[in-house]
Amino acid sequence: MTKVQQTTRGLQSSGSFEANGVSYNMNDYRLDGVDDNNYSDGFTGAVQYATLPPIDAIQEFKIQTSNYSAEFGRAAGGVLNASLKTGTNQLHGDAWEFVRNSSLDAADFFEDEGGLHKGAFRQNQFGATVGGPVEIPHLYNGRDKTFFFGDYEGYRVRQAVVYTESVPTAAEVQSGFTNFQDLITGQTGTHKDLLGRVFPSGTIFDPATTRPVSTGETDPVTGLVATNNGYVRDPFPSNLIPASRLDPIALKIMALYPLPTNGNLFNNFVDNPMRSVDYDEFDVRMDHNFSSKDTMFGRASQRSAPSFTPTPFGGLADGFPTNSQGSGQFVAFTATVSETHSFSATTVNEAHVGFDRIHGLTETVVANELGIPQQYGFPGVPQYPGNGGLPQFYIGDLDAIGEHGYLPAGELGGNWQANDNLTTIRGAHTLKVGFQFMHPRDVETDVQWTRGKFTYTGEYTSVPGVGDASTGTAQFLLTPVTATVPGGINFVGGTDSVKDGNWSEPDVRWNYIGFYAQDDWKVLRKLTFNFGLRWEYYGSAYERYGMQANFLPGEVGAQAQYLVPARQCSGRASQAFINLLQASG
């Protein structure tokens, strides 16, 4: 068993592990005899389980990574089985607090390097447990009969997050983005074009001068002979761009970048905004002994974990290094009821019924600020709650600006379940049979570039075919115009690529059934044979509202099929879409 590898969702710090050489999401988490897995794969909660009681609330736990009995199935990795403490006839409890404070911490290397004051770091982890008999004076004495146990744990973190980013230089900002001489003076290296000309890195070329050339023929603009077939263009003199060529929409977006904090060409902005994580969890368990043969317990647990991870630039500018930045909410609730009946001294039956619900959501800090794209000149961007803010802009060597294309990210999971286990001892044989039924649910807000993604690599402002990324800012700023040279190509420039995606929230459900039989045969005092057989049925996943289709590839016009659920066929598909399907076979 090993700790899970580093992930962008923080699974390595949430207790996730890998066993038997398979992925971390192939483990089985069980609490108090029922399933405790997060079937949404921890997309926003960064956990693989639904409930995580504090250590002081755990009565016992066992991790099995191989050779576990037929009672446990579904998972190819490890099985982590835990049970919560119960109350006793004596009142017991404990409390704890763990504190860390930045007063005793060293500054982050990048804070020192960027000239920042040491960022704050405060961590508090605290909680308590209490358990005992249920007693109501003059009304009920629960000693030897009814017991309670409860626990609470809280977690608070305030921590500075250090970012080192690349933003427009002070000279570029002060010139109104017309002077880019520092791109040349701040870099080394050269680029050579098809006319044999050599230019220093950072040279900005005018897209309006783009023209084709042929091997051995003279370029009419420069009088130079081309060494190969392709395209050439000419640089702006002294790396100065006429203000009249700049796109006013692009200028408004560039103004969102913060000013640099140092004089570097790149990595010239350092900041350490504050990250916050709040965590509250409680468990409540009640046990009751009806008789020496019948006992029952019920447990309810809830975990709430709101968080905020700042982006490098904040606000509309964002800066999104990963899709874990932003405002996060995560709430998990689980409940179970169990009854144990002893038929005899050698035969016992356990029955469990359980339910869990998980809801997580991560949004950008401006997720609900609607109408922003229209204000900046992008009227076609869909606007609805959760999709507010600007599109993504990847601009050359600058750090990206706008809202992350994979946010919002949400999950809504649930699971109804029931299981029963019957154990009997017959001489040297310990026999155990049982079944497990589950009805999991997984609703995921799965978006990709719903506001749009625009990429500017410098392809149109550098030597053709070279793509000097440092000139990407100029490509973003320049308005494509008609060619300014003989034989030139009109309207060269703009974005390299535009991506757009739809908003998808499939509500997927399925059924799972498992039956098992296990025989532990104690042949000798030091020799036991274990025999087990398990049968499992994994039902086909289905989308509750019929909002998923399936494409079966095949020969054009013959075997290829686009399968749409019957409930969606009537009046849902546009004629234009049907025509496209028919045209492509």
Side-chain angles (χ1 to χ4, degrees):
M1 187 178 76
T2 61
K3 186 177 179 181
V4 69
Q5 297 301 304
Q6 183 81 17
T7 71
T8 59
R9 287 182 282 148
L11 290 168
Q12 70 284 349
S13 60
S14 67
S16 294
F17 63 93
E18 295 170 344
N20 294 333
V22 299
S23 174
Y24 56 83
N25 56 7
M26 293 186 180
N27 297 322
D28 188 13
Y29 294 88
R30 303 174 69 86
L31 180 64
D32 286 334
V34 295
D35 184 273
D36 190 45
N37 293 282
N38 180 359
Y39 287 96
S40 295
D41 197 23
F43 189 66
T44 59
V47 291
Q48 296 301 119
Y49 41 78
T51 303
L52 179 65
I55 294 176
D56 284 40
I58 297 295
Q59 176 68 34
E60 61 179 350
F61 75 94
K62 185 177 184 180
I63 299 178
Q64 297 167 271
T65 58
S66 63
N67 200 32
Y68 37 80
S69 75
E71 178 183 356
F72 304 107
R74 195 197 66 78
V79 176
L80 193 158
N81 204 347
S83 59
L84 211 63
K85 287 181 178 179
T86 64
T88 64
N89 278 331
Q90 302 296 321
L91 185 66
H92 292 284
D94 62 357
W96 64 89
E97 181 171 12
F98 172 77
V99 180
R100 287 187 62 183
N101 194 293
S102 54
S103 299
L104 301 177
D105 292 344
D108 183 278
F109 169 81
F110 294 101
E111 289 177 318
D112 285 340
E113 187 72 12
L116 298 176
H117 292 292
K118 181 175 66 175
F121 177 47
R122 299 184 297 275
Q123 176 179 321
N124 291 74
Q125 186 173 1
F126 51 93
T129 70
V130 62
V134 175
E135 293 185 292
I136 303 175
H138 310 298
L139 292 177
Y140 183 74
N141 184 354
R143 290 179 178 272
D144 298 321
K145 272 189 169 295
T146 308
F147 309 95
F148 76 92
F149 180 84
D151 65 74
Y152 165 78
E153 183 169 68
Y155 182 72
R156 303 290 185 270
V157 171
R158 300 297 181 266
Q159 182 177 18
V161 181
V162 183
Y163 292 113
T164 302
E165 310 291 313
S166 295
V167 300
T169 65
E172 293 166 2
V173 174
Q174 292 166 5
S175 70
F177 295 103
T178 59
N179 185 344
F180 289 89
Q181 293 175 335
D182 53 7
L183 291 183
I184 296 177
T185 58
Q187 299 186 86
T188 59
T190 58
H191 302 300
K192 186 176 182 180
D193 72 356
L194 296 182
L195 299 177
R197 298 179 296 178
V198 178
F199 302 96
S201 297
T203 300
I204 296 176
F205 289 76
D206 185 352
T209 64
T210 304
R211 56 195 182 274
V213 294
S214 300
T215 305
E217 294 186 3
T218 300
D219 171 41
V221 178
T222 62
L224 300 175
V225 177
T227 59
N228 210 333
N229 296 330
Y231 297 89
V232 296
R233 57 177 67 105
D234 302 321
F236 284 103
S238 302
N239 252 25
L240 301 176
I241 300 177
S244 61
R245 295 283 301 277
L246 302 182
D247 186 332
I249 296 176
L251 287 172
K252 289 176 64 176
I253 294 172
M254 292 298 293
L256 293 172
Y257 275 106
L259 294 174
T261 57
N262 61 54
N264 298 337
L265 183 60
F266 305 115
N267 297 326
N268 54 2
F269 176 79
V270 183
D271 195 14
N272 56 351
M274 187 71 72
R275 168 179 175 259
S276 65
V277 178
D278 294 338
Y279 177 103
D280 294 282
E281 173 152 2
F282 71 83
D283 303 279
V284 177
R285 174 167 169 156
M286 297 287 292
D287 290 77
H288 182 72
N289 298 328
F290 291 98
S291 67
S292 60
K293 291 187 176 183
D294 283 286
T295 62
M296 176 178 285
F297 78 83
R299 174 188 54 81
S301 304
Q302 180 165 306
R303 178 162 56 98
S304 175
S307 64
F308 174 72
T309 302
T311 55
F313 305 144
L316 291 177
D318 203 313
F320 59 87
T322 73
N323 64 349
S324 62
Q325 269 72 20
S327 177
Q329 296 287 336
F330 184 83
V331 178
F333 174 81
T334 66
T336 183
V337 175
S338 174
E339 197 272 344
T340 301
H341 177 74
S342 298
F343 292 97
S344 67
T346 58
T347 303
V348 179
N349 187 80
E350 299 172 285
H352 300 85
V353 177
F355 168 76
D356 65 64
R357 186 180 188 274
I358 296 173
H359 182 225
L361 179 65
T362 302
E363 296 182 303
T364 69
V365 294
V366 292
N368 296 305
E369 292 188 23
L370 309 183
I372 300 299
Q374 289 84 344
Q375 296 177 26
Y376 280 79
F378 295 88
V381 177
Q383 292 288 272
Y384 30 80
N387 204 52
L390 280 173
Q392 290 179 297
F393 296 96
Y394 288 83
I395 306 172
D397 280 334
L398 300 182
D399 278 278
I401 195 170
E403 318 314 321
H404 199 288
Y406 287 84
L407 292 180
E411 61 181 340
L412 176 60
N415 185 16
W416 287 99
Q417 56 180 303
N419 64 63
D420 189 88
N421 304 293
L422 177 66
T423 305
T424 184
I425 300 175
R426 292 290 184 268
H429 296 268
T430 299
L431 304 172
K432 193 169 187 178
V433 296
F435 79 90
Q436 181 181 9
F437 168 80
M438 295 192 301
H439 181 65
R441 177 192 185 194
D442 181 15
V443 184
E444 293 194 3
T445 302
D446 185 13
V447 303
Q448 290 186 8
W449 315 301
T450 51
R451 306 170 196 86
K453 173 186 175 183
F454 299 82
T455 303
Y456 303 82
T457 63
E459 175 64 30
Y460 302 130
T461 47
S462 55
V463 173
V466 172
D468 183 348
S470 68
T471 70
T473 302
Q475 180 180 324
F476 175 69
L477 289 163
L478 285 166
T479 303
V481 297
T482 56
T484 59
V485 296
I489 302 173
N490 293 328
F491 303 108
V492 172
T495 179
D496 292 77
S497 65
V498 178
K499 291 186 176 180
D500 190 14
N502 66 329
W503 185 294
S504 174
E505 286 187 304
D507 187 344
V508 179
R509 306 180 182 207
W510 65 98
N511 291 319
Y512 167 86
I513 302 174
F515 291 92
Y516 76 91
Q518 178 79 24
D519 180 9
D520 296 326
W521 178 22
K522 192 171 184 179
V523 181
L524 300 172
R525 186 169 61 88
K526 294 185 177 181
L527 177 63
T528 301
F529 288 118
N530 307 110
F531 302 97
L533 180 66
R534 186 177 182 89
W535 178 88
E536 296 180 323
Y537 168 78
Y538 288 84
S540 298
Y542 64 93
E543 208 284 327
R544 182 182 182 187
Y545 302 102
M547 298 300 291
Q548 285 187 324
N550 190 22
F551 176 69
L552 300 179
E555 292 186 22
V556 175
Q559 299 174 353
Q561 298 180 68
Y562 189 75
L563 305 180
V564 182
R567 63 194 297 185
Q568 298 295 338
C569 289
S570 176
R572 293 299 183 104
S574 68
Q575 188 59 46
F577 179 63
I578 294 174
N579 293 341
L580 285 173
L581 292 176
Q582 293 175 342
S584 64

